[in-house]
Amino acid sequence: MGIGDGSSNGNQQSARKEIRDETTPLLPVKVEEEDGFHEFNGASFSGAVFNLSTTIVGAGIMALPASIKMLGIIPGILMIIIVALLTEASIDMLVRCSHQGKIASYGWLMGEVFGQWGRIALQASVIVNNVGDVLSGTTSAGVHHRGILEGWFGAHLWNSRPIVLLATALLVFAPLVSFKRLDSLRYTSALSVALAVVFVVITAGIAIIKLFNGTVAMPKLFPELDGLNSIWNLFTAVPVLVTAYICHYNVHSIDNELEDRTQIKPIVRTSLVLCSSVYIATSFFAYLLFGEGTLDDVLANFDANLGIPFSSVFDDIVRVSYAAHVMLVFPIVFFALRLNLDGLLFPTSRHISRDNKRFAIITISLLTVIYLAAILIPSIWDAFQFTGATAAVLIGFIFPAMVILRDSYGIATKRDKILAVTMIVLAVLSNSVALYSDAMNIFRKKEVA
């Protein structure tokens, strides 16, 4: 059964004309409002691709070059491709089961298969992962890296990190997170993907120019292994790669809004191909450009002289485009965060989109908590290592594998079950090693300090 095969076309069209039960954790196709019904004709293929791609290509894109630096070019690119294939397989498992059981969300699928605690585990994991996904810092290896405004105007109170983040939250985030339907963000998602491509094009252009000029060293193709510790350290790159592909929490929302739900499989594939191409190009050219000097957050590399004419101009273009990209990623990630927090706190209440008061309270509370946390997180690398090693592998691989192994709907094939076991084993082993390595690195830093 394909990823988009949940029911017959007739049943699908009939189901989409119904007013869904109030506890259904997705926005219904018809929304009952004070002035009557608001008809929604369904999301388009392109809009769904852009929304899913923006869910995937978040702030984690800046941590990927550091992963390539640790793994080497060939193993690193292979890992990006392998994780993309595993991501497609895990999404396929979730959507097939959801269509078979006529379940409209990941959380309620977990609840149907594993009971209340299964739903709670998934919703808590999404909250932990998405809070980590919207946080980033401006310090790498204890070195302060100037922001865009600080570089232009010098350090002042008005362009300090807390003030800039506050202005961004009020002027950009607040309007965008006020939408109650994911498809409403399709245009900002398209712009977000375009901005990520701008970063790739500029980085590739600079790297190629410097390569022809002979001013960059050839990157290492394979990791340098000089002992057991270096082998263990390689696994710290795995959670960053896993986190970079986590989009499962928005797949059901996108699927439920589609005009033709049989399109979900090509949508997922198109998004993964697009995002994998962006990831590979970003990782390769950024590592080629900065070599062993590639920082944990490669954006911090763009506050120095790049060794080409108009270096400062390109630095600013890269950082401004990336800042705008992250701003437009935020509402997509926030959408699932708010939905799952509401489901965790009010599992029996009517859908949050039908309760304006609850919608406003949860939205404002989340923005406040995220704002405070964003100021306190010192390193994007630490955030992605730990969320990737915990919540992300649960959402992306372990939970989908458990669903298919339980096979409550009798649709799992032998291949599905073998793949599910493989996903669980690889996820648990790699991330256990990563957690151990991360903890040891923290202890070493404290001993040096």
Side-chain angles (χ1 to χ4, degrees):
M1 180 177 294
I3 193 170
D5 299 325
S7 60
S8 67
N9 291 338
N11 290 338
Q12 288 177 1
Q13 295 298 326
S14 176
R16 295 186 63 79
K17 293 181 180 178
E18 297 176 358
I19 303 174
R20 300 182 189 274
D21 185 84
E22 288 186 345
T23 60
T24 301
L26 287 173
L27 195 60
V29 176
K30 280 187 176 180
V31 180
E32 186 174 6
E33 297 175 346
E34 293 180 359
D35 57 349
F37 288 97
H38 171 68
E39 187 74 34
F40 175 58
N41 294 324
S44 65
F45 183 93
S46 60
V49 168
F50 286 130
N51 280 333
L52 187 59
S53 298
T54 301
T55 304
I56 296 171
V57 182
I61 189 175
M62 292 299 167
L64 290 177
S67 299
I68 295 293
K69 181 181 72 172
M70 298 179 67
L71 294 172
I73 293 291
I74 294 178
I77 292 177
L78 286 176
M79 277 296 301
I80 290 175
I81 295 172
I82 290 171
V83 174
L85 293 174
L86 290 176
T87 299
E88 182 186 10
S90 62
I91 293 174
D92 177 84
M93 294 174 181
L94 290 177
V95 179
R96 283 162 51 202
C97 290
S98 298
H99 284 186
Q100 184 69 25
K102 295 180 172 58
I103 298 172
S105 82
Y106 193 174
W108 286 97
L109 175 63
M110 288 291 292
E112 285 289 324
V113 177
F114 298 106
Q116 178 182 0
W117 289 108
R119 174 182 58 80
I120 291 174
L122 183 279
Q123 290 171 336
S125 297
V126 172
I127 292 169
V128 171
N129 179 77
N130 287 27
V131 168
D133 202 32
V134 299
L135 299 178
S136 64
T138 55
T139 301
S140 292
V143 180
H144 174 70
H145 297 276
R146 297 183 303 169
I148 300 169
L149 296 177
E150 185 180 340
W152 287 349
F153 304 104
H156 300 283
L157 177 62
W158 67 268
N159 62 10
S160 62
R161 181 176 174 83
I163 299 300
V164 171
L165 285 177
L166 179 61
T168 302
L170 295 177
L171 301 178
V172 180
F173 294 159
L176 291 179
V177 301
S178 64
F179 290 114
K180 295 183 178 181
R181 192 182 298 281
L182 197 59
D183 185 63
S184 301
L185 298 169
R186 61 190 181 278
Y187 296 117
T188 56
S189 293
L191 180 57
S192 176
V193 173
L195 289 169
V197 173
V198 168
F199 171 78
V200 172
V201 171
I202 293 177
T203 304
I206 297 174
I208 292 172
I209 290 173
K210 296 189 70 173
L211 181 63
F212 283 130
N213 292 338
T215 55
V216 295
M218 289 302 296
K220 62 187 179 187
L221 298 180
F222 295 93
E224 297 176 355
L225 304 178
D226 54 6
L228 183 60
N229 287 336
S230 62
I231 297 176
W232 281 79
N233 288 336
L234 291 179
F235 284 90
T236 61
V238 175
V240 177
L241 293 172
V242 171
T243 304
Y245 276 103
I246 297 303
C247 60
H248 304 61
Y249 49 79
N250 270 339
V251 168
H252 286 81
S253 297
I254 292 171
D255 180 33
N256 194 60
E257 292 182 3
L258 285 175
E259 183 176 2
D260 178 7
R261 295 185 68 187
T262 61
Q263 292 184 325
I264 188 62
K265 184 173 184 177
I267 284 170
V268 170
R269 285 183 174 173
T270 302
S271 297
L272 288 174
V273 169
L274 173 61
C275 295
S276 297
S277 301
V278 171
Y279 281 167
I280 291 172
T282 299
S283 302
F284 176 78
F285 288 112
Y287 180 39
L288 177 63
L289 179 59
F290 299 113
E292 295 305 308
T294 303
L295 298 173
D296 296 341
D297 178 2
V298 75
L299 187 66
N301 285 103
F302 285 92
D303 69 350
N305 191 334
L306 299 174
I308 61 171
F310 306 105
S311 172
S312 61
V313 175
F314 285 109
D315 280 341
D316 290 343
I317 292 174
V318 166
R319 293 194 289 170
V320 169
S321 63
Y322 176 71
H325 162 74
V326 171
M327 288 181 188
L328 300 178
V329 167
F330 183 92
I332 289 287
V333 178
F334 188 91
F335 185 93
L337 175 61
R338 176 176 54 205
L339 193 64
N340 282 273
L341 179 61
D342 179 74
L344 187 62
L345 297 177
F346 308 103
T348 60
S349 299
R350 62 178 180 170
H351 191 272
I352 187 173
S353 65
R354 300 180 183 177
D355 190 329
N356 291 334
K357 182 178 180 181
R358 198 167 86 243
F359 183 90
I361 291 174
I362 291 180
T363 299
I364 294 171
S365 299
L366 276 175
L367 284 176
T368 302
V369 170
I370 290 170
Y371 167 75
L372 295 175
I375 299 173
L376 301 176
I377 299 296
S379 171
I380 190 174
W381 183 254
D382 292 338
F384 275 91
Q385 279 178 311
F386 283 100
T387 59
T390 51
V393 292
L394 291 173
I395 297 168
F397 299 104
I398 294 178
F399 287 159
M402 291 171 61
V403 168
I404 209 69
L405 288 175
R406 176 65 66 90
D407 196 17
S408 299
Y409 304 105
I411 64 172
T413 64
K414 183 177 180 180
R415 175 184 175 276
D416 290 332
K417 294 184 177 181
I418 293 174
L419 185 58
V421 172
T422 302
M423 288 165 55
I424 291 176
V425 171
L426 289 177
V428 171
L429 288 179
S430 64
N431 285 278
S432 296
V433 174
L435 283 174
Y436 173 81
S437 180
D438 293 342
M440 294 303 296
N441 288 336
I442 292 175
F443 287 132
R444 291 191 191 101
K445 290 179 183 178
K446 290 183 178 180
E447 290 176 359
V448 172

